[in-house]
């Protein structure tokens, strides 16, 4: 039976966990890369003097621009135009210690306010020659900005690719399992029912694999059972043909004697006729056994009757059986407990079962010892049993070996059990049914599957 899937083990939760894990892993990698690359860029600037080189490069460009356009330190409009075309944030010009230009406030006449130059250690000032004299220029530029942007793009792309790889690897595991199941299903379609379906995990795919494997076992059991039935049928037909051939040969022989008048007197004629009658009855019995066997092993569906009380079903049946056995010279020890429970049976099958049991008792039981008939009650299982002593036979008794297999087949069709035990002294057979109130078809299928699995 396929087990139910826990919600925490379902594919949906597995996918959610995979996404969360991948996102966390990608986030951690992004943080580590961001910290590492920022550290590398800062170290590069600190040790290579890249910022000073860029400042000097822009100072040279500014000097060339001033010389080309003959600018003074107070040509704010032209200086502002040049700053906007460069990749720098701001520029400040100081002349005679007073700020005369600030690119952040290009239209403001700063010389009137006489803003003094700041003397900070982190600020670098460069001398630039204007038309009106030499001035000190401070340049501020974020030259590393583009490198930080490039690093950020790389970090985001790498983290996203890592996220996709982790997700795809997690999905790939499930896809590989699905492909494996697909290959195994193709093997089953080809008839390889001995190949076990791979069952792993605890999710919906696991439940599917278990269902497929149970279906495989059911098919294999069904095929094996059909093969056993065919083999048994062939065996029974062969034995029946041999058993029927013997009385037919005898009947033909005695009939030929009578037809040709090769008998001595009327006494011999009557003896031959009695032998023909005896062989004819034997043939009738054999054909009935054959019909009975084909009935219970055929494909005709048997329908159980409505539930009825145990005593109502078997009281009259046991009365007739006991009377019949007493007529045949047997002593009966009848010990039945009529339990207040209901059973579902097929009456026709029950009569055939009792006929088989009675026939075996007459054929093989010792009439000097009592036949014991008892009730069987074990939990929700109810039935009856026969126990008799086995007589010592001087010569072999003709047997088709069909009786007990027929009883077992009929009991199986009625969802019951036939237990047989035999040794040199005693023979025991028990006919057991499940209680109607506590039994269902699903229970029967589950029990049959369990018994088959245990036998495997």
């Amino acid at each position: 039976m396929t087990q139910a899937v826990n919600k925490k083990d379902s594919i949906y939760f597995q996918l959610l966990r995979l996404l969360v894990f991948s996102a966390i892993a990608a986030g951690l990698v992004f943080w580590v890369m961001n910290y590492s690359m920022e550290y590398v860029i800062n170290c590069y600037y600190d040790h290579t003097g890249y910022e000073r080189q860029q400042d000097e490069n822009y100072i040279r460009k500014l000097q060339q621009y001033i010389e080309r356009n003959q600018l003074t330190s107070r040509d704010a409009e032209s200086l502002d135009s040049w700053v906007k075309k460069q990749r720098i944030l701001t520029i400040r010009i100081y002349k005679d210690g007073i700020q005369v230009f600030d690119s952040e406030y290009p239209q403001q006449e700063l010389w009137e306010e006489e803003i003094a130059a700041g003397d900070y250690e982190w600020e670098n000032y460069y001398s630039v020659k204007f038309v009106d004299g030499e001035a000190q220029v401070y340049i501020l530029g974020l030259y590393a900005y583009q490198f930080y942007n490039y690093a950020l793009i790389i970090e985001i792309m790498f983290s996203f690719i890592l996220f996709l790889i982790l997700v795809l690897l997690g999905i790939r595991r499930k896809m590989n399992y699905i492909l494996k199941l697909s290959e195994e299903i193709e093997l089953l379609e080809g008839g390889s029912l001995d190949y076990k379906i791979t069952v792993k995990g605890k999710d919906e795919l696991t439940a599917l694999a278990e269902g497929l494997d149970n279906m495989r076992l059911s098919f294999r059991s069904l095929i094996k059972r059909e093969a056993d039935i065919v083999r048994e049928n062939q065996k029974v037909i062969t034995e029946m043909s041999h058993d029927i051939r013997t009385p037919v040969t005898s009947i033909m022989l005695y009939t030929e004697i009578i037809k040709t008048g090769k008998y001595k007197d009327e006494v011999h004629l009557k003896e031959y006729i009695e032998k023909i009658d005896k062989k004819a009855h034997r043939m009738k019995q054999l054909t009935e056994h054959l019909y009975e066997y084909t009935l219970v092993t055929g494909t005709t569906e048997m329908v159980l009757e409505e539930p009825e009380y145990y005593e109502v079903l078997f009281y009259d049946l046991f009365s007739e059986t006991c009377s019949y056995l007493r007529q045949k010279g047997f002593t009966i020890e009848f010990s039945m407990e009529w339990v207040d429970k209901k059973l579902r049976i097929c009456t026709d099958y029950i009569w055939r079962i009792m006929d088989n049991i009675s026939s075996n008792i007459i054929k093989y039981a010792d009439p000097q010892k009592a036949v014991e008939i008892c009730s069987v009650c074990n939990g929700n299982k109810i039935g009856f049993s026969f126990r008799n002593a086995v007589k010592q036979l001087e010569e072999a008794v003709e047997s088709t070996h069909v009786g007990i297999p027929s009883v077992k087949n009929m009991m199986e069709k009625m969802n019951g059990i036939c237990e047989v035990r035999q040794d040199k002294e005693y023979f025991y057979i028990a006919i057991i049914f499940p209680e109607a109130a506590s039994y269902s078809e699903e229970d029967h299928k589950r029990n049959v599957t369990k018994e088959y699995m245990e036998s495997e």
Side-chain angles (χ1 to χ4, degrees), residues 59-196:
I59 290 296
R60 285 194 297 270
K61 290 182 179 180
L62 176 61
Q63 184 66 62
Q64 294 172 1
Y65 178 74
I66 293 171
E67 292 175 355
R68 187 169 54 251
N69 296 280
Q70 293 296 305
L71 301 178
T72 67
S73 59
R74 299 179 183 277
D75 289 332
E77 185 175 349
S78 297
L79 291 172
D80 181 57
S81 176
W82 180 83
V83 171
K84 289 180 178 179
K85 294 179 181 179
Q86 312 306 314
R87 291 186 294 179
I88 56 179
L89 292 180
T90 185
I91 180 174
R92 297 198 300 269
I93 300 174
Y94 298 88
K95 192 171 187 305
D96 299 329
I98 302 300
Q99 183 175 331
V100 295
F101 175 80
D102 189 343
S103 60
E104 292 184 0
Y105 309 99
Q107 303 302 323
Q108 187 175 358
E109 296 185 5
L110 299 173
W111 56 86
E112 294 181 357
E113 301 180 6
E114 297 184 352
I115 301 175
D119 188 12
Y120 303 106
E121 293 182 358
W122 62 82
E123 292 184 347
N124 296 319
Y125 293 89
Y126 300 91
S127 296
V128 177
K129 293 180 180 180
F130 289 87
V131 174
D132 58 347
E134 188 173 308
Q136 299 297 313
V137 178
Y138 167 74
I139 291 179
L140 177 62
L142 294 180
Y143 309 119
Y145 178 75
Q146 57 183 343
F147 294 102
Y148 286 116
N149 284 343
Y150 294 152
L152 180 62
I153 292 172
I154 293 172
E155 293 160 9
I156 292 174
M157 291 182 61
F158 187 85
S159 300
F160 181 70
I161 292 172
L162 177 63
F163 173 80
L164 287 181
I165 290 174
L166 292 176
V167 172
L168 291 176
L169 286 176
I171 295 175
R172 183 183 178 185
R173 292 177 57 193
K174 291 299 177 185
M175 290 302 300
N176 288 338
Y177 188 36
I178 292 173
L179 292 174
K180 185 172 183 62
L181 289 179
S182 177
E183 293 173 357
E184 292 175 344
I185 290 173
E186 290 180 0
L187 291 175
L188 294 183
E189 290 176 350
S192 302
L193 296 179
D194 291 329
Y195 186 88
K196 189 178 185 304

Side-chain angles (χ1 to χ4, degrees), residues 378-439:
N378 183 13
N380 62 345
K381 294 180 179 180
I382 312 125
F384 54 86
S385 66
F386 283 78
R387 183 175 181 271
N388 61 267
V390 179
K391 67 181 177 183
Q392 301 299 320
L393 301 175
E394 296 179 358
E395 57 182 22
V397 178
E398 292 185 7
S399 173
T400 60
H401 305 287
V402 174
I404 298 301
S406 297
V407 172
K408 290 183 176 180
N409 284 329
M410 285 186 280
M411 287 303 299
E412 183 178 347
K413 286 181 176 291
M414 290 188 291
N415 306 319
I417 302 172
C418 173
E419 294 181 358
V420 177
R421 294 195 295 270
Q422 184 176 4
D423 53 31
K424 293 181 179 180
E425 296 182 0
Y426 287 94
F427 176 82
Y428 172 88
I429 184 171
I431 305 300
I432 304 171
F433 300 88
E435 184 182 357
S438 60
Y439 184 83

Side-chain angles (χ1 to χ4, degrees), residues 22-66:
S22 301
I24 293 174
L28 288 174
V29 169
F30 174 81
W31 181 81
V32 171
M33 288 186 65
N34 183 264
Y35 178 82
S36 301
M37 297 190 76
E38 183 177 348
Y39 175 78
V40 170
I41 293 172
N42 291 334
C43 289
Y44 174 75
Y45 284 139
D46 293 340
H47 292 84
T48 61
Y50 180 80
E51 186 173 2
R52 178 176 288 277
Q53 293 175 9
Q54 292 297 317
D55 287 345
E56 293 176 353
N57 182 44
Y58 279 105
I59 290 296
R60 285 194 297 270
K61 290 182 179 180
L62 176 61
Q63 184 66 62
Q64 294 172 1
Y65 178 74
I66 293 171

Side-chain angles (χ1 to χ4, degrees), residues 294-360:
T294 55
L295 179 65
V296 297
T297 58
T299 57
T300 305
E301 184 178 357
M302 185 275 308
V303 179
L304 293 176
E305 299 165 8
E306 291 299 317
E308 188 56 85
Y309 284 105
Y310 180 62
E311 182 177 2
V312 175
L313 292 173
F314 296 113
Y315 186 85
D316 292 338
L317 180 63
F318 280 119
S319 296
E320 294 184 17
T321 301
C322 292
S323 298
Y324 176 70
L325 292 176
R326 289 190 180 101
Q327 290 177 2
K328 293 296 183 178
F330 290 92
T331 303
I332 307 298
E333 290 185 3
F334 190 74
S335 176
M336 293 293 293
E337 180 184 353
W338 301 110
V339 295
D340 190 22
K341 294 184 178 181
K342 290 186 176 182
L343 305 177
R344 295 187 68 187
I345 65 169
C346 174
T347 303
D348 187 37
Y349 277 13
I350 292 298
W351 280 102
R352 292 181 183 277
I353 289 172
M354 294 301 289
D355 286 342
N356 269 315
I357 294 174
S358 300
S359 176
N360 283 341

Side-chain angles (χ1 to χ4, degrees), residues 257-284:
I257 292 174
I258 294 173
K259 284 172 61 179
T260 56
K262 294 181 180 180
Y263 52 88
K264 295 180 180 180
D265 49 31
E266 292 298 323
V267 175
H268 284 85
L269 175 62
K270 185 176 180 181
E271 180 182 348
Y272 293 151
I273 292 174
E274 288 178 353
K275 288 182 177 182
I276 291 174
D277 182 69
K278 183 178 179 181
K279 296 298 181 181
H281 279 83
R282 176 61 179 163
M283 284 183 61
K284 181 176 181 296

